[in-house]
Amino acid sequence: MAWCLHDAGEDFVVIDNLSTGFEWAIPQSVKLYEGDITDEKLLQTIFHNHDITAVIHFAGSIIVPESVSNPLKYYNNNTAASRTLIEACVKNNIKHFIFSSTAAVYGDPKVIPVSEDAPLSPLSPYGTSKLMTELMLRDTAAAHDFQYTALRYFNVAGADPEGRTGQSTRNATHLIKVACEAALGKRTHLGIFGADFDTPDKTGIRDYIHVSDLASAHYLALKRLREGGESIVMNAGYGDGYSVLQVIDAVKAVSEVDFEVKTEPRRAGDSPKVVADNSKIMSNLDWKPQFDDLPTIIRHALNWEKKLQFKNSL
Ligand code: UDP
């Protein structure tokens, strides 16, 4: 997102506690405040130092199984911390807010592709922690001069096509990153978490979206709010579902490495199939995804993984 805003010539600052992020990941010219969004004093300093008109809120924890074993971490990092940030925005008269929500709010959707008005019934504390923030935003927007956009992310993958940044957090758990690590020999094998789902090849189906397309959706959502758009909640996905086996085959094809794969038990909190109905985002934003192609997503992820290997060995 920082690179997207930078490339568009926007003036912005970043706050990050660097718990999973890296200072090198943002453009050098961008001011970074290293700290936490629960630090009200720091937020006040930032709002005082800069003429902030909008906030794009990504801070939070994102691992579904970890949220099952440590739910209070998720209610703290994703829900309570968001409350502090939203309150600071209201106090400082910020009118535009964009929030990273998740398809996990749907749980195990009965109708696929899933649309925004489907029942909200998360299967994990991760999904619930994000849904609670969506509800806080809804109520805040009803009470104050404050408009928000919540983007319900499907499975974010890939990396900056120019190779400037990509997923770099250690001990990654997300499928495409883990599969790229396996292809590069950083892992001995890849585990398939459940091959007994009610899907054609019995493995879980997800809608993988390229991170750069997701960033451009945020930027368009910001422009829409600036132009007077009302608060809105939208799915951010391509509407294409791929099974774990299809992803593995694609990573093997792109990398030309036949890494070892083992079937393992299902993970707690995992849905069998989640694919976006993206008609709402398509009709509300002038969004033209540029990388909606699984091999392209994998190629970018793999290129980044190779770079990271080099970076980490320095
Ligand atoms: N998955 C898998 N092996 C892995 C990581 C993920 O089989 O090493 C499966 C997981 O069970 C799910 C899909 O891949 O069906 C996507 O999982 P991921 O953790 O990437 O994202 P999530 O959908 O949990 O947000």
Side-chain angles (χ1 to χ4, degrees):
M1 189 72 234
W3 280 104
C4 171
L5 292 171
H6 174 266
D7 293 348
E10 292 279 340
D11 191 14
F12 64 103
V13 298
V14 173
I15 172 170
D16 195 320
N17 66 11
L18 300 183
S19 58
T20 58
F22 302 89
E23 192 170 353
W24 53 254
I26 60 168
Q28 261 189 356
S29 57
V30 173
K31 167 90 181 147
L32 169 71
Y33 287 89
E34 187 179 340
D36 204 277
I37 56 163
T38 56
D39 182 345
E40 291 173 46
K41 267 199 175 148
L42 177 60
L43 292 179
Q44 267 324 114
T45 303
I46 297 173
F47 286 124
H48 179 262
N49 287 354
H50 306 274
D51 182 18
I52 308 271
T53 55
V55 169
I56 311 182
H57 172 34
F58 301 98
S61 301
I62 59 162
I63 301 173
V64 171
E66 184 192 39
S67 80
V68 176
S69 56
N70 192 356
L72 295 177
K73 172 175 175 181
Y74 280 68
Y75 291 118
N76 201 23
N77 277 349
N78 293 357
T79 314
S82 295
R83 200 209 72 85
T84 305
L85 178 63
I86 297 165
E87 186 174 52
C89 288
V90 171
K91 272 190 195 154
N92 286 278
N93 216 15
I94 304 299
K95 295 188 173 29
H96 298 148
F97 194 96
I98 297 180
F99 173 57
S100 313
S101 189
T102 171
V105 297
Y106 300 117
D108 179 8
K110 293 289 163 278
V111 178
I112 297 289
V114 60
S115 70
E116 292 80 356
D117 50 15
L120 301 173
S121 96
L123 292 178
S124 64
Y126 168 66
T128 310
S129 69
K130 289 278 185 176
L131 179 55
M132 287 162 81
T133 301
E134 277 196 18
L135 298 176
M136 285 193 287
L137 288 168
R138 182 197 65 189
D139 296 345
T140 304
H144 301 279
D145 181 11
F146 175 93
Q147 285 82 43
Y148 73 97
T149 299
L151 293 175
R152 291 181 178 157
Y153 299 2
F154 284 66
N155 287 60
V156 189
D160 178 40
E162 293 177 38
R164 298 172 297 186
T165 188
Q167 280 181 283
S168 308
T169 311
R170 285 177 197 273
N171 306 319
T173 60
H174 289 116
L175 180 63
I176 291 183
K177 171 143 177 104
V178 169
C180 289
E181 289 177 352
L184 294 178
K186 293 190 194 179
R187 294 182 184 245
T188 53
H189 69 281
L190 175 84
I192 299 176
F193 299 144
D196 55 355
F197 287 104
D198 186 15
T199 59
D201 69 16
K202 306 287 176 209
T203 64
I205 294 179
R206 296 288 184 276
D207 184 343
Y208 295 89
I209 171 172
H210 193 292
V211 61
S212 298
D213 281 334
L214 186 61
S216 69
H218 284 72
Y219 190 39
L220 291 168
L222 177 63
K223 287 186 179 165
R224 179 184 165 279
L225 289 178
R226 284 175 177 165
E227 286 160 10
E230 290 296 312
S231 293
I232 193 166
V233 178
M234 297 183 288
N235 286 341
Y238 294 142
D240 303 321
Y242 292 97
S243 71
V244 173
L245 283 180
Q246 286 175 314
V247 171
I248 292 171
D249 284 348
V251 175
K252 287 185 174 181
V254 173
S255 65
E256 299 178 347
V257 180
D258 187 15
F259 51 86
E260 192 185 348
V261 173
K262 293 182 188 171
T263 301
E264 292 176 13
R266 288 186 187 193
R267 256 180 356 188
D270 264 356
S271 309
K273 185 170 181 181
V274 191
V275 178
D277 175 339
N278 64 8
S279 45
K280 194 169 176 185
I281 193 167
M282 286 301 186
S283 60
N284 281 280
L285 302 182
D286 186 24
W287 188 47
K288 295 184 183 66
Q290 288 185 55
F291 308 106
D292 52 344
D293 167 64
L294 189 62
T296 303
I297 295 175
I298 291 170
R299 192 161 43 80
H300 292 166
L302 199 63
N303 285 346
W304 174 252
E305 206 55 55
K306 286 179 189 159
K307 244 185 168 164
L308 196 60
Q309 197 167 25
F310 176 71
K311 244 176 157 58
N312 288 342
S313 67
L314 290 179

